[in-house]
Amino acid sequence: YLSNTSTLSTKMAKSFPEEVLEHVFSFITSDSDRNAVSLVCKSWYEIERWCRKRVFVGNCYAVSPRILTRRFPEVRSVEIKGKPHFADFNLVPEGWGGCVYPWISAMAGAYPWLEEIRLKRMVVSDEALELISTSFCNFKVLVLSSCEGFSTDGLASIAANCRELRVLDLRESEVDDLSGHWLSHFPDTWTSLVSLNIACLGSEVSFSALERLVARSPNLRTLRLNRAVSLEKLHNLLCRAPQLVEFGTGAYSSELRPDVFSNLAGAFSGCKQLKGLSGFWDVVPAYLPAIYLTCSGLTSLNLSYATIQSPDLVKLVSQCHNLQRLWVLDYIEDIGLDALAASCKHLQELRVFPSDPYVVDPNVSLTERGLVAVSEGCPKLQSVLYFCRQMSNAALVAIARNRPNLVCFRLCIIEPRAPDYLTLEPLDAGFGAIVEHCKELRRLSLSGLLTDRVFEYIGTRGRKLEMLSIAFAGESDLGLHHVLSGCESLRKLEIRDCPFGDKALLANAAKLETMRSLWMSSCSVSFGACKLLGQKLPRLNVEVIDERGSPDSRPESCPVEKLYIYRTVAGPRVDMPPFVWTIDEDAALRV
Amino acid sequence: MEQDFVGMATEVSSYSNEAELELGLGLSLGGGLVKAKGSPWGEYGKIMTAKDFPSGFCGTKRAADYGGGGPPDVGYSAPPGVSQVVGWPPLRTYRMNSLANQAKVLNDEEEKRVGGNDECNGALKENMDNGSNKNDTTVKDNGQLGFVKVNIDGMPIGRKVDLNAHACYKTLARTLEEMFCRPSTTINSNCSGGQEKGKGTQPSKLLDGSSEFVLTYEDKEGDWMLVGDVPWGMFLSTVKRLRIMKTSEANGLAPSFRERNDRHKNKPI
């Protein structure tokens, strides 16, 4: 196909002027399509690279800033991801890497017209933020998702210098909160704000500064406040921004006062465009009715910090007939999920988080039944994240049969290696049914008692599976072998505490070059195997993360603590901390 | 855990003696693995805990023994909760801290949740009493109170510890000792895994001054203080990060060790 296209397009390339092709390419926005276009022929490669405006770097070490800026000179929007996903759960030691400064520095020189930077799990220093704020005169969008390393001083630079800023979104980042004063650095002349998310900040920002900011931002669509903003003052903001589409409250508690309530209810009812609500820390249930009038318009509701009980949740949720996304604590219980299944027929995504994850005995009556009910009642359900304490194969099979349209299924049974609570068998059959029926499944997280058999099902039937998370599962290398020798679409594999060792990894070494990354911690992969992989596959970085000192100080057969393997065109990285080692082609240990 | 050893034995033939390794009662200080003779780890000439085991299984493996799937011949009962395993259940720090801050105010099952140690009850009650006040101040001062950074002199690598998982200094200090291993063990036997709350009866060396290290913290004002001087609740509201300092460097930071020793020794076990 490609060669035919190539011949044809070479002819076409000679007959179409570049400008026409460039214009055509401007309609091609998906990264994979753009990549395909660039492979057609040399002139298409050249045209494409000059007009690519948006770049996504899934692993900041897969490519270098220099390679990026040299190939794509006209980029306006960049998205970069740093640490592996398990960093969210403290499995990646501090100081591992993912520092964004070299990227900002390179782009400061190469992309003076850069407008958007989106970062995930990267270390962002105040210096980096300051550099951003002074290097890009047209800078519009800054999204820092699960990032860390910066303080409110860095935010002050952004506020003070980015005259064209539209989006400042700090979702779930870890910010060194020195004071709330940074917000006041936004000049009074700045009126272009569209989206502000400061939910992760601890300290109080000046409310009057916030009020003035909201009042002079007619394009404001998304406002997510932090916990420190009190409930009594909320109406002041809402009244000044009736055009809001997404709103996140602060602490949702106050003394019970009728004037506060009526102000709040009035303000909410004035926001006719409201589609999403979040926040809801410290909820006082008596104030919930203030949002009832917004419920019928809501498509997204994040109550995952709301420690309210099932009856209040049911009252709320049963009014949200257009709800597409619900994040909630397990206080909702099975009974609440029944109500959800009955009321919210447009539900696409459900996440149920545990209210008390560290006790073995359940503190709420949330079981597999709730999830089965939602799978039955919500025909559009495609994405699930569910924490619970018991599961059965029967339930999983039911869910699979009810919802073959599932795209993302992440189940966390809190107790590691918990079997089917009815039969005491492994949950192989249940998860097997999921991958068998849900043919569009792209993301899967396993839990509970699982043998190698489940991996056979996944390997053969998980054809579209792109991301797989495994913990405390499997019996032998065969399990890992099933996954690596199957799963044609696999991009990211993360494994912890499984008895997988060298054999499967070495036998399927070539597979690793077709994936973005592999993470294995507390498994049985020996240092010798890591060396072998590093030698044989120069286009992979094989990183050994071990806080016990150099792997050379132990026998080669000794398993490594953590292993992170990823494909790269940038070679071994140069910013490794003392507890990370890679192996170069000479099998020499590189620190 | 034993099945993991067996798995390893098939992969790595030099460790053929795993089957002889037996797990003793409990995984806490001193009570752990009894090494079979002829073990390849000959350089460790003492009874080791699972933490000292250089195979990398460490704390995270213990979860394998919890719940229904554990091997039957492991000789100890499953601990009460999953809080000892690093990163499990898979919840973001931010979420856990938020929940914890609210739970301290609302949840009167707090006692059960924090290990149920009698020795903590005194401090726990005080914590609960200060609960709502502390909540306000801590949320404002540091939205992510639970996890604070810990560094130990001599190691560039810092760790994080969840203060919300503790109700008193004792369990915190013991957890830190486990995390960084005993100063008396060899330098490279650092642990990688969990925040174990040891159930042993020994007082914490970090608190009673008998170790070469001492536990200090940086407070809101940037001053370095000795841990243990103020009530637990007050400590929580003011701590920014921790540092395990060499005793020799900690001069002038606190009242005498003996004073603090007396204060902490009278808790029932």
Side-chain angles (χ1 to χ4, degrees):
Chain A
Y1 168 71
L2 210 61
S3 58
N4 285 343
T5 320
S6 164
T7 323
L8 176 62
S9 65
T10 313
K11 291 183 184 158
M12 287 170 66
K14 291 188 172 118
S15 53
F16 278 138
E18 270 185 29
E19 293 80 10
V20 175
L21 280 172
E22 201 175 307
H23 183 68
V24 171
F25 292 169
S26 69
F27 295 102
I28 300 172
T29 49
S30 117
D31 288 329
S32 51
D33 288 343
R34 279 248 167 196
N35 290 344
V37 160
S38 69
L39 291 174
V40 166
C41 64
K42 261 179 136 172
S43 71
W44 280 36
Y45 176 90
E46 280 300 308
I47 298 166
E48 195 282 317
R49 80 177 185 92
W50 276 97
C51 69
R52 190 169 318 198
K53 295 280 183 287
R54 176 184 296 264
V55 175
F56 169 74
V57 178
N59 173 4
C60 64
Y61 291 118
V63 69
S64 70
R66 189 152 179 269
I67 293 174
L68 172 72
T69 54
R70 277 175 60 184
R71 179 171 170 188
F72 299 116
E74 294 290 330
V75 166
R76 296 280 188 272
S77 161
V78 148
E79 181 176 350
I80 312 173
K81 294 188 178 180
K83 299 185 211 171
H85 174 235
F86 275 176
D88 284 353
F89 317 127
N90 296 318
L91 288 180
V92 177
E94 275 210 39
W96 171 84
C99 184
V100 81
Y101 194 88
W103 290 89
I104 308 299
S105 172
M107 294 191 299
Y111 302 147
W113 300 108
L114 190 69
E115 294 178 5
E116 306 182 354
I117 296 178
R118 293 177 170 81
L119 305 175
K120 188 164 187 180
R121 284 188 210 102
M122 294 203 78
V123 177
V124 182
S125 61
D126 284 344
E127 288 72 29
L129 289 176
E130 189 173 340
L131 191 57
I132 291 173
S133 76
T134 52
S135 307
F136 311 113
C137 60
N138 222 18
F139 192 67
K140 296 192 167 83
V141 172
L142 183 63
V143 178
L144 301 176
S145 180
S146 303
C147 294
E148 54 158 354
F150 61 102
S151 76
T152 41
D153 284 350
L155 295 179
S157 315
I158 297 286
N161 300 326
C162 299
R163 298 299 151 103
E164 304 296 324
L165 195 70
R166 296 198 186 145
V167 174
L168 179 60
D169 187 341
L170 304 177
R171 54 181 88 156
E172 287 166 340
S173 290
E174 205 176 301
V175 185
D176 192 1
D177 219 326
L178 301 173
S179 87
H181 193 61
W182 65 274
L183 191 80
S184 312
H185 286 253
F186 283 119
D188 291 332
T189 49
W190 175 60
T191 58
S192 52
L193 185 64
V194 172
S195 170
L196 181 66
N197 178 358
I198 55 169
C200 62
L201 295 181
S203 62
E204 201 171 342
V205 296
S206 151
F207 189 80
S208 53
L210 197 53
E211 247 183 317
R212 288 196 308 275
L213 176 55
V214 169
R216 66 175 187 273
S217 306
N219 298 318
L220 189 64
R221 293 283 174 273
T222 300
L223 179 63
R224 300 208 196 273
L225 303 170
N226 62 340
R227 200 168 177 173
V229 177
S230 64
L231 190 63
E232 302 91 40
K233 297 189 186 165
L234 231 49
H235 73 276
N236 291 311
L237 296 174
L238 286 171
C239 288
R240 285 174 169 72
Q243 76 283 9
L244 275 179
V245 176
E246 307 265 338
F247 181 66
T249 74
Y252 205 76
S253 62
S254 175
E255 291 171 1
L256 295 176
R257 283 163 44 193
D259 57 326
V260 173
F261 183 90
S262 59
N263 284 338
L264 193 61
F268 270 118
S269 65
C271 295
K272 311 266 185 229
Q273 323 278 347
L274 211 51
K275 293 234 175 319
L277 284 178
S278 62
F280 296 110
W281 292 279
D282 314 311
V283 176
V284 165
Y287 276 106
L288 282 175
I291 64 168
Y292 282 177
L293 285 178
T294 68
C295 286
S296 58
L298 290 181
T299 57
S300 169
L301 191 50
N302 182 352
L303 295 169
S304 63
Y305 297 105
T307 50
I308 47 179
Q309 303 303 314
S310 186
D312 293 310
L313 285 166
V314 167
K315 267 190 237 150
L316 195 49
V317 147
S318 3
Q319 299 182 61
C320 300
H321 298 288
N322 286 309
L323 204 59
Q324 293 172 16
R325 172 167 52 183
L326 177 66
W327 291 20
V328 72
L329 286 171
D330 57 8
Y331 287 129
I332 196 169
E333 300 190 316
D334 289 339
I335 198 169
L337 292 176
D338 282 334
L340 181 69
S343 315
C344 304
K345 297 301 184 183
H346 299 280
L347 194 70
Q348 294 175 18
E349 176 181 330
L350 174 66
R351 295 196 191 189
V352 179
F353 295 95
S355 51
D356 205 346
Y358 299 118
V359 293
V360 168
D361 297 325
N363 58 323
V364 289
S365 178
L366 179 107
T367 68
E368 80 285 5
R369 290 195 300 278
L371 186 56
V372 172
V374 176
S375 75
E376 269 172 27
C378 302
K380 300 188 189 172
L381 186 70
Q382 43 170 255
S383 176
V384 170
L385 170 62
Y386 200 74
F387 284 81
C388 61
R389 286 183 164 85
Q390 67 184 44
M391 187 49 62
S392 65
N393 282 310
L396 285 171
V397 170
I399 292 165
R401 290 204 175 125
N402 288 337
R403 288 281 62 77
N405 48 324
L406 282 175
V407 160
C408 170
F409 188 72
R410 294 155 72 187
L411 179 68
C412 179
I413 306 165
I414 288 178
E415 196 66 26
R417 302 201 179 160
D420 176 325
Y421 78 101
L422 294 170
T423 64
L424 297 184
E425 283 173 359
L427 291 169
D428 299 336
F431 279 106
I434 295 279
V435 287
E436 162 138 28
H437 292 273
C438 307
K439 303 206 193 297
E440 301 299 314
L441 198 69
R442 292 202 294 267
R443 184 166 179 186
L444 178 64
S445 297
L446 305 171
S447 58
L449 183 65
L450 297 163
T451 71
D452 287 340
R453 209 170 319 122
V454 72
F455 299 110
E456 190 182 346
Y457 300 146
I458 292 172
T460 50
R461 293 169 199 169
R463 312 204 63 185
K464 298 217 175 153
L465 203 59
E466 296 180 6
M467 183 168 176
L468 179 61
S469 308
I470 309 172
F472 306 105
E475 304 160 298
S476 75
D477 265 307
L478 199 52
L480 182 57
H481 174 69
H482 284 311
V483 172
L484 291 178
S485 58
C487 293
E488 295 94 281
S489 312
L490 196 64
R491 292 190 298 115
K492 289 182 280 185
L493 180 58
E494 46 186 26
I495 303 172
R496 62 163 296 174
D497 293 86
C498 296
F500 300 148
D502 299 346
K503 285 198 205 130
L505 212 51
L506 293 174
N508 294 283
K511 170 80 168 179
L512 299 175
E513 283 186 341
T514 68
M515 295 164 51
R516 181 189 294 173
S517 64
L518 166 67
W519 169 278
M520 292 179 74
S521 55
S522 304
C523 297
S524 311
V525 180
S526 74
F527 179 55
C530 294
K531 280 171 80 165
L532 213 55
L533 280 171
Q535 271 178 282
K536 273 169 61 168
L537 301 164
R539 285 179 302 190
L540 294 183
N541 274 355
V542 177
E543 287 191 9
V544 170
I545 300 166
D546 209 314
E547 291 177 279
R548 298 168 297 174
S550 170
D552 273 343
S553 64
R554 290 180 292 279
E556 260 194 29
S557 45
C558 192
V560 300
E561 275 180 358
K562 300 171 189 186
L563 174 62
Y564 185 47
I565 301 178
Y566 52 90
R567 65 179 174 189
T568 179
V569 294
R573 58 180 174 119
V574 295
D575 62 348
M576 288 181 294
F579 51 87
V580 176
W581 289 268
T582 59
I583 296 94
D584 61 25
E585 301 89 69
D586 310 321
L589 199 55
R590 180 195 293 261
V591 179
Chain B
M1 202 190 276
E2 191 158 313
Q3 66 188 29
D4 296 318
F5 289 176
V6 170
M8 221 184 99
T10 61
E11 300 306 313
V12 180
S13 55
S14 62
Y15 295 146
S16 53
N17 290 328
E18 280 73 20
E20 297 177 283
L21 288 166
E22 285 172 344
L23 293 168
L25 281 171
L27 283 172
S28 57
L29 323 167
L33 286 170
V34 177
K35 204 160 37 68
K37 53 183 177 187
S39 159
W41 295 284
E43 66 268 25
Y44 296 105
K46 61 175 182 64
I47 291 175
M48 303 189 296
T49 65
K51 294 289 182 187
D52 294 328
F53 201 63
S55 69
F57 288 146
C58 283
T60 52
K61 279 294 188 204
R62 282 174 288 119
D65 300 304
Y66 302 167
D73 33 2
V74 171
Y76 61 92
S77 54
V82 291
S83 54
Q84 286 93 331
V85 184
V86 175
W88 190 267
L91 290 166
R92 292 188 176 187
T93 309
Y94 178 69
R95 182 168 295 282
M96 290 194 292
N97 291 344
S98 277
L99 280 181
N101 280 335
Q102 295 181 92
K104 278 192 156 48
V105 175
L106 300 168
N107 192 351
D108 62 350
E109 288 186 337
E110 175 69 24
E111 264 178 60
K112 252 193 273 171
R113 197 170 75 84
V114 189
N117 278 328
D118 281 337
E119 63 190 356
C120 284
N121 274 350
L124 181 60
K125 182 169 187 317
E126 169 207 296
N127 197 23
M128 294 281 285
D129 290 342
N130 292 338
S132 47
N133 292 338
K134 178 186 80 60
N135 224 22
D136 292 336
T137 36
T138 52
V139 166
K140 287 200 177 96
D141 292 335
N142 178 355
Q144 306 200 37
L145 170 65
F147 276 85
V148 294
K149 299 184 185 182
V150 193
N151 284 83
I152 185 171
D153 283 356
M155 264 178 67
I157 309 152
R159 307 297 298 275
K160 277 191 184 171
V161 65
D162 179 8
L163 291 181
N164 283 319
H166 300 276
C168 63
Y169 290 115
K170 241 187 169 120
T171 57
L172 171 64
R174 210 173 285 129
T175 295
L176 291 176
E177 277 177 16
E178 290 299 313
M179 202 184 271
F180 291 97
C181 272
R182 323 290 238 109
S184 53
T185 57
T186 49
I187 191 71
N188 276 333
S189 58
N190 284 322
C191 343
S192 68
Q195 297 164 22
E196 179 185 5
K197 290 195 270 283
K199 297 233 156 141
T201 59
Q202 304 93 314
S204 158
K205 292 200 170 146
L206 281 175
L207 285 182
D208 69 8
S210 60
S211 128
E212 63 179 283
F213 287 93
V214 85
L215 184 56
T216 66
Y217 71 100
E218 183 184 12
D219 69 6
K220 281 189 304 204
E221 274 112 49
D223 298 323
W224 284 94
M225 319 279 283
L226 214 62
V227 165
D229 288 341
V230 300
W232 176 256
M234 198 183 297
F235 166 70
L236 281 188
S237 70
T238 188
V239 61
K240 269 176 57 175
R241 58 193 163 123
L242 298 170
R243 178 174 158 204
I244 302 174
M245 207 183 275
K246 287 214 164 71
T247 308
S248 48
E249 286 192 28
N251 289 328
L253 273 188
S256 75
F257 294 149
R258 203 157 288 157
E259 272 177 40
R260 285 180 299 112
N261 199 26
D262 291 340
R263 210 189 305 155
H264 286 282
K265 248 188 175 159
N266 60 3
K267 300 267 169 59
I269 304 288

